[in-house]
Amino acid sequence: MLFTEEQMKNLEKNPNVQHVSETTITYTPAFKLAAVQAYAQGQTPSEIFIRAGFDLDIIGHKKPKHSLKRWRDTYDRYGEEGLTTERRGKGSTGRKPAGELSTEEELKRAKAKIKLLEAQVDILKKLEALERQKRKR
């Protein structure tokens, strides 16, 4: 589903929305947590989203159910912190920084880099040889 410019502007006005693109809505961590808690108290996903000011005709009628399922799984697995901290992309805390690689992993990466550099050198040598042949003609 693609959102129009007008729909995106309207969605961004909702205090429960962090960001909107043509294809996705990023909800605020506070809304995710409140939605999971409301669901635990017996509210349906659709009720939660409607009360939060979302038009299901715009976001899609399946969006509340799918989002709540994802958020509940995250909450069950990581607790409240799972919904309040970003675990994807640049802001994620899931990946180890490069400085924390094991010796084995560093060696593996170094070997891969050496192979890549050797392949690049071979290509350059072949290119030079072709250019020399071309100049001789």
Side-chain angles (χ1 to χ4, degrees):
M1 168 183 267
L2 290 176
F3 298 115
T4 66
E5 284 292 322
E6 186 179 333
Q7 289 172 331
M8 289 168 59
K9 285 178 185 173
N10 285 336
L11 285 166
E12 283 180 339
K13 289 178 187 174
N14 188 312
N16 299 305
V17 172
Q18 194 169 322
H19 176 73
V20 179
S21 73
E22 287 183 339
T23 56
T24 60
I25 303 169
T26 304
Y27 302 93
T28 63
F31 173 64
K32 292 177 186 180
L33 184 59
V36 168
Q37 291 169 343
Y39 183 83
Q41 293 171 358
Q43 289 184 36
T44 68
S46 294
E47 286 174 336
I48 295 166
F49 273 68
I50 291 168
R51 287 182 181 164
F54 291 102
D55 183 344
L56 301 187
D57 290 329
I58 293 174
I59 66 169
H61 289 270
K62 293 181 180 181
K63 175 68 83 181
K65 185 177 179 181
H66 291 153
S67 295
L68 249 303
K69 170 80 172 103
R70 235 181 17 259
W71 299 341
R72 286 190 347 261
D73 290 346
T74 300
Y75 185 82
D76 291 344
R77 190 168 182 187
Y78 302 103
E80 193 172 309
E81 190 177 333
L83 295 174
T84 57
T85 57
E86 183 58 63
R87 293 185 338 273
R88 302 173 298 178
K90 290 181 181 177
S92 88
T93 56
R95 290 189 188 148
K96 288 183 181 179
E100 291 184 25
L101 295 176
S102 68
T103 307
E104 189 177 303
E105 187 63 30
E106 281 184 40
L107 180 61
K108 190 176 172 183
R109 285 190 180 189
K111 284 181 177 180
K113 191 170 187 174
I114 289 168
K115 272 188 175 179
L116 174 68
L117 292 171
E118 286 173 342
Q120 289 175 339
V121 168
D122 286 343
I123 289 171
L124 290 173
K125 283 180 182 177
K126 288 176 183 175
L127 187 60
E128 279 181 342
L130 286 172
E131 285 180 359
R132 267 188 259 120
Q133 280 180 351
K134 198 174 185 180
R135 276 189 243 133
K136 286 182 182 177
R137 292 181 189 168

